[in-house]
Amino acid sequence: MEKLETPAELAQRAAAVIADRTGVATHDIALTLGSGWAGAAELIGETVATIPAQEIPGFAASAVAGHSGSISSIRLASGHHALVLGARTHYYEGKGVRAVAHGIRTAAACGARTAILTNGCGSTVAQWGPGTVVLIRDHINLTATSPLEGATFVDLTDAYSPTLRNIAHEIDPDLPEGVYAQFPGPHYETPAEVKMARILGADLVGMSTTLETIAAREAEMSVLGLSLVTNHAAGFAPGNLNHAEVLEAGRAAGPRISKLLAAIIALIDEEC
Ligand code: 8IG
């Protein structure tokens, strides 16, 4: 019987296609741009190449409105390269944890030692309303699964690099830090579930990031996590949640947070 391809082998195959199509042998930083963050790509440097995701092994076009389905190589001022993963697979798409981790594994196979993961999320902190940017200090993985397979005992003590958080604070000393909880989604939480997450220590609730962080740590990448609060989580403010409002909050904050992220990336690229 033919031997099945491992996730690492698939990532290697994807990385080879990216190196070939971009002409960039090694990428340095992986960048995943969640709701509201897409504008940063244009600010960090020159786009060398953009490849439709479905042309790279293991990737499929994104189904979510507001999420683009391509992978770009961007040359930073230093001459280093960022790989922008505009084709995040969310756990709720039901394609399995291998699909969720594939982008990060591919970036690692491309040479990236740093992963910058961004998202839009709900807040359980009254003072952190829509438009607030929060540095992820730690996470709670409520998906009841892992992207790792077998006896892979990865340490997550400092999953969100203290060094990278310090660099972000050099750009904006007032950036708050919080704990991000990933729910499986795709439904938003009930008020009772948000209350539970709050009691467990979650400041932010969302549907991404924790599984990608685990995969990045397996690959020994340093992780910076940044959340944009687009809404108070269910039950933490009057009224209901809808995806259009979430997208609108992302649009409104877009230019400001893209500039912030570009400045953070420039400093990380200088110091790391
Ligand atoms: I944007 O309130 C965004 N994503 N789980 N809850 C969850 N995910 C989110 C939310 C939210 N807002």
Side-chain angles (χ1 to χ4, degrees):
M1 217 171 77
E2 202 184 327
K3 206 160 175 299
L4 289 176
E5 188 176 42
T6 66
E9 287 163 350
L10 178 59
Q12 284 294 345
R13 212 149 55 78
V17 170
I18 290 169
D20 180 54
R21 295 279 298 271
T22 62
V24 176
T26 301
H27 284 83
D28 304 284
I29 295 178
L31 187 55
T32 299
L33 299 172
S35 302
W37 296 94
E42 288 158 32
L43 302 179
I44 62 176
E46 284 294 309
T47 301
V48 175
T50 299
I51 312 168
Q54 63 270 22
E55 296 175 16
I56 304 173
F59 289 90
S62 173
V64 187
H67 292 264
S68 82
S70 62
I71 288 180
S72 299
S73 174
I74 299 184
R75 184 170 45 247
L76 307 174
S78 64
H80 290 152
H81 287 85
L83 189 69
V84 180
L85 300 164
R88 175 182 254 167
T89 297
H90 289 85
Y91 181 63
Y92 58 69
E93 292 174 61
K95 296 174 186 165
V97 288
R98 285 186 176 191
V100 172
H102 181 60
I104 285 297
R105 288 189 173 129
T106 296
C110 287
R113 310 292 308 137
T114 302
I116 300 176
L117 300 170
T118 65
N119 61 54
C121 68
S123 160
T124 70
V125 179
Q127 310 91 282
W128 297 354
T132 307
V133 173
V134 182
L135 275 177
I136 302 177
R137 174 171 58 76
D138 201 348
H139 79 218
I140 300 174
N141 171 11
L142 295 176
T143 65
T145 187
S146 168
L148 311 188
E149 300 170 31
T152 310
F153 305 114
V154 171
D155 176 32
L156 296 176
T157 308
D158 282 321
Y160 297 88
S161 162
T163 304
L164 295 182
R165 280 150 51 202
N166 283 339
I167 291 174
H169 277 142
E170 286 182 47
I171 299 297
D172 182 354
D174 298 327
L175 274 180
E177 293 200 345
V179 174
Y180 176 96
Q182 178 177 359
F183 279 85
H187 52 274
Y188 294 117
E189 298 72 33
T190 64
E193 288 163 346
V194 175
K195 194 169 164 191
M196 172 194 78
R198 176 75 229 157
I199 289 168
L200 295 178
D203 304 302
L204 309 168
V205 291
M207 304 179 194
S208 68
T209 306
T210 78
L211 300 175
E212 292 151 285
T213 292
I214 294 166
R217 294 306 293 149
E218 179 191 35
E220 298 183 359
M221 301 167 98
S222 297
V223 176
L224 180 71
L226 283 162
S227 289
L228 169 70
V229 174
T230 59
N231 55 278
H232 284 291
F236 277 60
N240 295 65
L241 298 183
N242 71 67
H243 190 57
E245 273 171 20
V246 162
L247 290 180
E248 181 45 39
R251 244 190 306 277
R256 173 174 52 87
I257 67 174
S258 297
K259 251 185 263 170
L260 170 70
L261 179 55
I264 292 171
I265 290 170
L267 195 54
I268 287 173
D269 189 42
E270 214 173 277
E271 299 196 3
C272 294

